[in-house]
Amino acid sequence: MSEKPGVNTIPTWNGSASAGLLVRSLFGRCRIGSSSLRLQLIRGRPNRQDETVSTARPTRRPRRSRDSQPLGLGLTGSPALRNPMRPLEPLSADQVEAIHEASLTVLEEIGVEFMGDAARDAFARAGAEVNRHTGLVRMPRELVIGEVARAPSRFTLTPRNPARRMIVGEDYISFSLVAGPPSVHDALRGRRSGNLADYEDLIRLAQSFDIIHYVGNQPTAPVELPARTRHLDCYLANLTWSDKVCHCSAIGRERALDGVDMMALSRGLTREEMIGDPGVLTVISVNSPRRFDEAMSDGLMAMAEWGQPVVVTPFTLMGAMAPVSLAAALVQQNAEALAGVVLAQLVRPGTPVVYGAFTSNVDMKSGAPAFGTPENAQATLAAGQLARFYRLPYRASNACAANTVDAQAAYESQMSIWSSVMGHANLVYHGAGWMEGGLLASFEKIVLDVEMLQMMALTLKPIDTSAAELQAGLAALGEVATGGHFFGASHTLSRYETAFYEPLISDWRNHEAWEIAGGLTATQRATKVWQRALAAYEAPAMDPAVAEALAAFVAQRREALKDVDH
């Protein structure tokens, strides 16, 4: 990485008011001489020779151009991200217990429908009451409690690059790329249907930012490809353009097992060897209220059979697919999630399972889903308590309902992110790029979300109060006179490049400097960031033999499935 040559210079001032003048000029609140002097102070360049001194401090390095710096936080090789904060808990222990008891009543007396014969058979063998005509399953509470207790509180996912290994559970937290939208948008090309070229670029962006830890199921749907086999193209793109943990689809058994097999090939393993060393996961979307479609339950059972994690996620929108009150919606969500957890344990005891939550509300005027709302935040925090009650890893989401990358998109996502983090979610789905309530993947929104996620990650970073850190601070305090400033202190000069978060898109210049630089909005700056990321992208290395094996597998399976409805 190149550095600017030359002698370093710093401004010096006489008089006790000099630091205040500098600070006010930096924030554009007063004018010192001419506007050119203000801008020179802001940019760190002296205006007059008698106001500067040459320095040769060995601890200060020349400032690098922002364009030459890597995009985003470099986290590869760093310890896994953990959340040291105490969780926010809107429910008392008695309230959690009350929701638990009400959920058991739903499972035992009201029941949950399973449309698949394989799932009904599994419950029947375990002693549940199964109505073969309606598919309604009623589970004794002892069965529910006993099976849920078998699920681990923590597990590890290993992708084809072991350095990208993810720990799920306890206080670990990971963020994913957006998943599922049928459409895609960027400011240059506008809105369009999902396609493979955009799909691959979205995977490249996920690979480019370390704060995106894993790839969810299809960041956009490549609708030009045959529905029966497009999952193969998606899996191949995930494994080729990224080396991170990725999803497989659980719409039926075949899609799930294809994903397991392809991850196994990329790691040089057999499917059997993946049982105790999982590398993919999937979301089981409950067809709320209280229904598991056959494809979902078959996909769940296939994943559990081979020891791969499932994220059981009810989609409980209050007023639409769930009761309008938060308490009743939480009971429904909890009962549906527990039903999926039980089924996974009946297939293979000890199968890794994540307690998924996606409870929000609808706009009662239009029926449209709403996200990033107070009710959504409360539900996310409360669901975290329920997951911890059962000692299960927890999934939440970064969701918004905005139609464009604007202030609404930012504040709704910020509400979602904060409640996910303070609810101690272990997996935050749709971490970057979700728009329109899940109907759109946005290139600009990916960058905006990456900015927020990076800031959140650093907010979670423990504060260093070691003896050495405090001693260095005391030395700095002793170096600077009362009423002075720390801009030129040795403590500042030795740390200024890494002392604070360096934003991707935030612009901290005053209005005049911002206008001179082009007056770009955050969204316009985000466009430039994703363009730079794709231009600088380098595909992760893959053994040619592995690439050949994956291509052969895809060709063989594409032929086998071309006429099969599955």
Side-chain angles (χ1 to χ4, degrees), residues 61-72:
R61 295 174 292 172
R63 182 176 294 280
R64 295 190 294 267
S65 165
R66 177 173 291 191
D67 289 339
S68 69
Q69 296 181 16
L71 289 174

Side-chain angles (χ1 to χ4, degrees), residues 382-406:
Q385 288 184 260
L386 291 166
R388 290 190 294 278
F389 179 80
Y390 301 110
R391 300 180 59 83
L392 293 172
Y394 172 44
R395 168 259 167 109
S397 298
N398 171 17
C400 75
N403 293 298
T404 189
V405 184
D406 59 4

Side-chain angles (χ1 to χ4, degrees), residues 139-157:
M139 311 171 201
R141 60 183 55 212
E142 295 80 9
L143 173 66
V144 176
I145 294 170
E147 295 302 323
V148 169
R150 296 176 185 270
S153 61
R154 163 181 164 168
F155 60 90
T156 300
L157 285 163

Side-chain angles (χ1 to χ4, degrees), residues 430-514:
H430 313 298
W434 166 294
M435 290 290 295
E436 294 184 23
L439 296 179
L440 187 75
S442 163
F443 282 62
E444 282 76 22
K445 183 62 160 38
I446 287 174
V447 178
L448 182 73
D449 286 330
V450 163
E451 183 88 285
M452 291 190 287
L453 296 178
Q454 290 183 159
M455 290 192 287
M456 183 60 68
L458 291 184
T459 302
L460 297 178
K461 181 181 178 181
I463 298 173
D464 184 1
T465 59
S466 64
E469 188 68 14
L470 292 175
Q471 188 60 42
L474 290 172
L477 288 167
E479 179 183 346
V480 177
T482 57
H485 64 83
F486 289 83
F487 285 103
S490 57
H491 186 262
T492 302
L493 294 176
S494 65
R495 301 165 181 238
Y496 77 99
E497 286 193 310
T498 58
F500 308 121
Y501 173 67
E502 183 74 12
L504 278 172
I505 54 176
S506 292
D507 191 329
W508 296 334
R509 291 172 287 198
N510 67 19
H511 184 77
E512 186 175 353
W514 171 73

Side-chain angles (χ1 to χ4, degrees), residues 159-410:
R160 70 178 183 89
N161 179 1
R164 305 281 194 181
R165 186 177 286 116
M166 276 173 49
I167 302 173
V168 181
E170 298 175 350
D171 62 354
Y172 292 91
I173 181 169
S174 301
F175 303 106
S176 85
L177 184 65
V178 61
S183 300
V184 67
H185 178 276
D186 66 66
L188 301 179
R189 295 166 290 182
R191 184 189 181 94
R192 52 203 181 273
S193 294
N195 57 86
L196 186 60
D198 280 322
Y199 185 106
E200 292 177 339
D201 275 346
L202 292 170
I203 299 299
R204 292 182 182 103
L205 286 178
Q207 180 70 12
S208 298
F209 297 108
D210 285 348
I211 197 64
I212 300 177
H213 300 98
Y214 64 107
V215 175
N217 179 42
Q218 297 190 9
T220 191
V223 296
E224 79 275 25
L225 300 179
R228 291 186 176 108
T229 59
R230 72 168 62 133
H231 66 284
L232 298 166
D233 302 277
C234 295
Y235 297 161
L236 185 60
N238 294 346
L239 294 169
T240 301
W241 307 119
S242 175
D243 59 2
K244 300 182 179 184
V245 168
C246 58
H247 256 245
C248 55
S249 171
I251 304 176
R253 182 178 181 85
E254 299 290 342
R255 290 181 178 88
L257 294 183
D258 283 342
V260 176
D261 287 340
M262 290 182 70
M263 177 58 80
L265 279 173
S266 76
R267 295 175 57 192
L269 302 177
T270 64
R271 189 193 292 178
E272 289 75 14
E273 290 171 325
M274 289 274 285
I275 292 175
D277 189 8
V280 291
L281 71 167
T282 196
V283 167
I284 303 301
S285 297
V286 182
N287 191 351
S288 303
R290 300 173 23 252
R291 171 183 285 173
F292 283 74
D293 294 334
E294 183 175 21
M296 284 284 101
S297 61
D298 285 354
L300 182 156
M301 296 177 75
M303 292 286 284
E305 180 183 348
W306 296 97
Q308 304 304 296
V310 294
V311 184
V312 184
T313 307
F315 191 47
T316 38
L317 291 179
M318 292 180 284
M321 289 91 80
V324 75
S325 67
L326 186 54
L330 287 171
V331 169
Q332 179 187 322
Q333 171 196 278
N334 197 52
E336 292 174 356
L338 293 181
V341 174
V342 170
L343 178 57
Q345 301 311 307
L346 291 178
V347 175
R348 178 179 286 275
T351 293
V353 182
V354 177
Y355 182 108
F358 216 136
T359 295
S360 191
N361 56 287
V362 297
D363 178 2
M364 297 306 292
K365 297 177 182 178
S366 67
F371 299 101
T373 65
E375 295 80 12
N376 180 207
Q378 282 187 307
T380 300
L381 294 170
Q385 288 184 260
L386 291 166
R388 290 190 294 278
F389 179 80
Y390 301 110
R391 300 180 59 83
L392 293 172
Y394 172 44
R395 168 259 167 109
S397 298
N398 171 17
C400 75
N403 293 298
T404 189
V405 184
D406 59 4
Q408 179 185 342

